[in-house]
Amino acid sequence: LYPNPASEILNVDISSSADGNYEVDVMNLLGQKLDHVTAADRKAKINVGAYPSGVYLVDCYLNGVKVGAQRFIKN
């Protein structure tokens, strides 16, 4: 994830070599899903400009199976 902390756009680069349909969920620390995007070529851009400042979780899924998670800070 970069930049971290983010202000407007959060870039997601998935470093897995497995082929398939990657999806990315953004959640707050209460577990509420705020956004869901499909990654094209293992990359996604998420507009976080409207999110309040704080810490958020990003979960990556491959064909419906969670393959990674990371936190980011919204300025």
Side-chain angles (χ1 to χ4, degrees):
L1 302 177
Y2 65 94
N4 192 2
S7 296
E8 293 294 322
I9 299 294
L10 179 69
N11 296 290
V12 180
D13 284 350
I14 301 168
S15 61
S16 174
S17 60
D19 290 328
N21 299 316
Y22 286 93
E23 296 181 350
V24 179
D25 288 344
V26 179
M27 293 176 291
N28 63 19
L29 292 180
L30 298 175
Q32 298 167 322
K33 188 186 296 187
L34 304 176
D35 209 342
H36 174 86
V37 297
T38 300
D41 295 325
R42 297 182 187 93
K43 297 180 189 287
K45 288 184 184 269
I46 302 169
N47 186 343
V48 298
Y51 295 4
S53 295
V55 178
Y56 294 89
L57 305 173
V58 175
D59 291 336
C60 296
Y61 296 87
L62 171 59
N63 299 324
V65 177
K66 187 174 179 179
V67 294
Q70 195 167 353
R71 294 181 191 182
F72 78 94
I73 298 170
K74 164 60 170 74
N75 281 340

